[in-house]
Structure formats: structure tokens, C-alpha cells
Amino acid sequence: MNSHAIEVTGLSKRFGEVEAVRAASFRAEPGRVTGFLGPNGAGKSTTLAMVLGLSRPDAGTARIGGAAYRDLDDPTGTVGAVLDSTGAHPSMTGRGHLRAYAELGGHARRRVDDVALTTGITEYLDRRIRGYSTGMRRRLALATALLGEPSVLVLDEPSNGLDPAGIVWLREFLRAFAGRGGTVLLSSHVLTELQHSIDDLVLIDRGRVAWSGPLDEFTGAASSLESAFLAHTMEVHP
Ligand SMILES: Nc1ncnc2c1ncn2[C@@H]1O[C@H](COP(=O)(O)OP(=O)(O)OP(=O)(O)O)[C@@H](O)[C@H]1O
Ligand SMILES: [Mg+2]
């Protein structure tokens, strides 16, 4: 697997009066799962949209393997993305959806069956997406992201809508992906959900990166991840 780090430097974005992201800098490394943690409205989705070239920063840069997303030679073969807004047309079948995206990305049609198997949606492939449950839609979005065999995954709240078995499956999947040298950046607003899933943590609060580094260093002297989290967020809101 190619290795590509994600490198965010001084990224900023304002919506009118709201400074959604304020000079955010952090890295997500190959071979590691990086959790992007912050409360609702902290700026996670805005940051990930800029990393994926879907939103233009007011300042700063986001690079994947040294290049901006829009400059990648093979974007869907490099980065797989699942955003909150990832939509699929309800009247299509899962198979139709995946075939269309395989075609768009220039990926072999056999990948459709491969990614369906990987994400556990094989038996739903020929049903219309309007009949999919929330969890099945999340799996379909992940399957779509995997079509190009990317070495980088950018996932916005990927556990939303997954049942406990789905959450465990996703955790194991991402661990194995990083184990093969892949780079994973995933956001969450739930601390306990990330606890057993990530190697590195980037904590964002009101648009600012409040802390980043290996998860074990974050817990550090604190008795638990929760108390470390409270200590760090109190630094931000004295
Ligand atoms: N298109 C937009 N127009 C105006 N304000 C926006 C827009 N997108 C985001 N914001 C604002 O920017 C801030 C950051 O939002 P963002 O969606 O990035 O947060 P988040 O960390 O992803 O939150 P959540 O956990 O709820 O998904 C919020 O104050 C939000 O209201
Ligand atoms: Mg969000």
C-alpha cells in the first residue's frame, strides 16, 4: 500500500461571524488510526471538507501525500471519504450505486462485489437504497469509499447509525487497514467510542486544535481519558 500522510497547516474557515476553524494544524500518519475528537460544532466536518477539497479554506493548507486533494492524480484511488452528507440516490440499488461510482473513478467493476463483501452488504446489493437502514447506508458509503483501494481514509462520524456489532466490525476493519500501512482520519464527538479505536488523537474545540499526539500520552498522568479530556478542555475555556 502506498503511504500518504495527511498534513493540515494553519487551516482556517469563517462562516460570517462564526470562526468555524481557527489556524488548525495537525498530521495523520500512515500506519496509524487518528481520531479527530470534539464536541458538536467544534469544526470537525468543516475541517474534513477542506481536507477533501470540498470547501475552500480562508487560510492554510491541507495536503495528502504532499499534494492538495484537487491536485491528486488519482483522487478516489488515493483517498476514500465518508462524510455525514454522503448521499446515494434512493431509487438506485446498492449495486447500481457502486457500479456508477466505480465507473466514475475508473475502477474495475469486480470491485463492486469485493467492497460489498468487505462491508457486509452483499445480500442487500440488489435492493433499492430507499429501503436501507441507517447502518446499511453507512456501510454502503464506506463500500463506495473503498472502490479505488485507497491508502487513505477520511471518515466523518463513521460510527453514527451503526449497531454495537457494526462498531466493533468498523474498529477491526480500520485497525487492519492501518496495519497494512494505510492512513485513517476519523471524527467523533464521543470520547469513549474512540478510546479503543485510535492510536493518535487530535482534540478540536471551538475551531482550535486543543491537543494532538499519541493517545497514551494524552491520558498521561490523568486517571482516565475522561479526566484528561476535561483538563484539556478547561485549558481552552478557563
Ligand atoms: N455552511 C455553513 N454555514 C454557516 N455556518 C456553518 C456552515 N458549516 C458549518 N458552520 C458552523 O461552523 C461551526 C463548525 O461546524 P462543523 O459542522 O464543522 O462542526 P462539527 O465539529 O462537525 O460538529 P458535529 O459534531 O455537530 O458534527 C458550527 O458553528 C457550524 O454552525
Ligand atoms: Mg460534523
Side-chain angles (χ1 to χ4, degrees):
M1 196 182 276
N2 289 324
S3 68
H4 297 291
I6 298 172
E7 194 176 10
V8 167
T9 310
L11 212 54
S12 301
K13 181 80 180 179
R14 169 191 282 279
F15 297 105
E17 291 298 294
V18 178
E19 289 186 89
V21 180
R22 302 194 270 178
S25 299
F26 64 88
R27 290 172 62 91
E29 302 290 348
R32 298 181 70 85
V33 180
T34 301
F36 193 31
L37 175 72
N40 293 138
K44 302 181 296 293
S45 298
T46 304
T47 301
L48 297 183
M50 290 191 283
V51 168
L52 295 166
L54 297 168
S55 166
R56 183 187 288 276
D58 295 330
T61 56
R63 294 205 167 84
I64 299 167
Y69 183 89
R70 66 177 174 280
D71 296 329
L72 293 172
D73 291 334
D74 178 15
T76 55
T78 308
V79 187
V82 178
L83 298 183
D84 254 355
S85 56
T86 306
H89 201 280
S91 68
M92 280 188 111
T93 62
R95 188 185 304 281
H97 171 88
L98 288 170
R99 279 187 176 169
Y101 276 83
E103 182 104 0
L104 273 175
H107 311 303
R109 194 175 255 214
R110 65 167 169 75
R111 291 289 302 151
V112 168
D113 290 302
D114 295 348
V115 297
L117 194 63
T118 303
T119 55
I121 57 170
T122 301
E123 62 183 295
Y124 301 88
L125 267 189
D126 294 310
R127 294 199 203 165
R128 292 197 192 282
I129 292 166
R130 74 162 61 89
Y132 279 31
S133 68
T134 308
M136 283 301 152
R137 284 168 204 254
R138 300 303 288 182
R139 286 170 189 254
L140 178 64
L142 183 61
T144 310
L146 294 173
L147 282 167
E149 300 183 75
S151 56
V152 178
L153 288 176
V154 176
L155 311 172
D156 197 8
E157 309 261 1
S159 310
N160 271 0
L162 292 183
D163 56 26
I167 289 173
V168 171
W169 165 80
L170 181 68
R171 176 185 303 161
E172 298 303 314
F173 173 78
L174 296 177
R175 281 243 162 269
F177 184 89
R180 295 193 297 274
T183 306
V184 181
L185 176 62
L186 82 162
S187 77
S188 176
H189 59 278
V190 185
L191 183 66
T192 47
E193 189 180 279
L194 289 181
Q195 199 162 357
H196 304 291
S197 309
I198 66 172
D199 302 300
D200 295 323
L201 176 69
V202 177
L203 186 64
I204 184 169
D205 193 29
R206 300 187 192 184
R208 288 191 194 282
V209 173
W211 194 88
S212 66
L215 182 66
D216 46 12
E217 287 180 21
F218 179 69
T219 314
S223 59
S224 68
L225 201 54
E226 279 83 357
S227 52
F229 181 71
L230 283 175
H232 282 283
T233 47
M234 278 185 320
E235 268 170 34
V236 182
H237 318 299

